[in-house]
Amino acid sequence: MSAKTSQEVLIIGGGIGGVATALALARRGMRSRVLEKAPEFGEIGYGIQQGPNAYRMLDWLGVMKDLEPQAVFTKSLILIDALTDRELTRISCGEPFRGHFRAPYTVVHRRDLHGALLEACRRREEIALHTSKDLASFADREKSVVAKFADGSEYEGGR
């Protein structure tokens, strides 16, 4: 589907992957509809380690400035043998690392990452967000897909 197609993209699931996908599509001028099964958008879990490539992608999506105050900027990566507790290797994540990879190595909480992505989606008119949408079935048509939900609603999206 090209950016000029008027049909929207249906995204089933509003977790980190779903809202990040919607935001990336919006940056390309494409409309999407995120349909989340839960009654509200949210994320559970713990921290996520982000290599420089993830940092750069989140920066491109426009959310790193919101995440930086909560992020931990790792000074070193240390690999330790779980059985002997012996340090196997240490990788410095200082300025040479940042210069080489053009971004830092960071750790963020899942909730903070999801929240920043979700807020960025809410600011985009190309993105429609829905909760309490439990997917019941879908029909693959020649040029579209129709998703039907347990509440009786249905949405059509481009292929």
Side-chain angles (χ1 to χ4, degrees), residues 11 31 34 40 52 66 77 99 102 105 134 140-141 156:
I11 301 169
R31 294 180 344 179
V34 180
E40 61 185 40
D66 294 333
L77 297 173
R102 300 182 330 270
Y105 193 99
D134 187 7
D140 187 357
R141 298 191 174 154
E156 184 174 7

Side-chain angles (χ1 to χ4, degrees), residues 30-44:
M30 299 171 70
R31 294 180 344 179
S32 66
R33 185 172 302 272
V34 180
L35 301 135
E36 169 58 40
K37 180 180 181 178
E40 61 185 40
F41 286 96
E43 188 65 45
I44 59 172

Side-chain angles (χ1 to χ4, degrees), residues 11 14-26 32 34 41 61-63 66 114-129:
I11 301 169
I16 291 170
V19 292
T21 299
L23 194 54
L25 291 170
S32 66
V34 180
F41 286 96
L61 289 174
V63 299
D66 294 333
H114 184 263
L117 290 165
L118 184 59
E119 285 308 310
C121 285
R122 287 182 171 139
R123 292 190 296 264
R124 300 298 300 239
E125 65 181 36
E126 303 93 338
I127 302 171
L129 300 166

Side-chain angles (χ1 to χ4, degrees), residues 58-123:
L58 291 169
D59 192 41
W60 178 79
L61 289 174
V63 299
M64 271 319 299
K65 292 296 180 218
D66 294 333
L67 278 173
E68 282 182 352
Q70 294 89 22
V72 174
F73 293 87
T74 308
K75 293 179 184 173
S76 297
L77 297 173
I78 304 168
L79 280 72
I80 298 175
D81 186 297
L83 300 176
T84 65
D85 202 32
R86 183 176 64 89
E87 185 176 309
L88 301 173
T89 191
R90 180 181 297 252
I91 301 167
S92 173
C93 296
E95 286 309 314
F97 178 94
R98 287 180 181 208
H100 179 76
F101 292 107
R102 300 182 330 270
Y105 193 99
T106 59
V107 179
V108 297
H109 195 282
R110 285 180 177 280
R111 193 175 323 121
D112 294 335
L113 174 57
H114 184 263
L117 290 165
L118 184 59
E119 285 308 310
C121 285
R122 287 182 171 139
R123 292 190 296 264

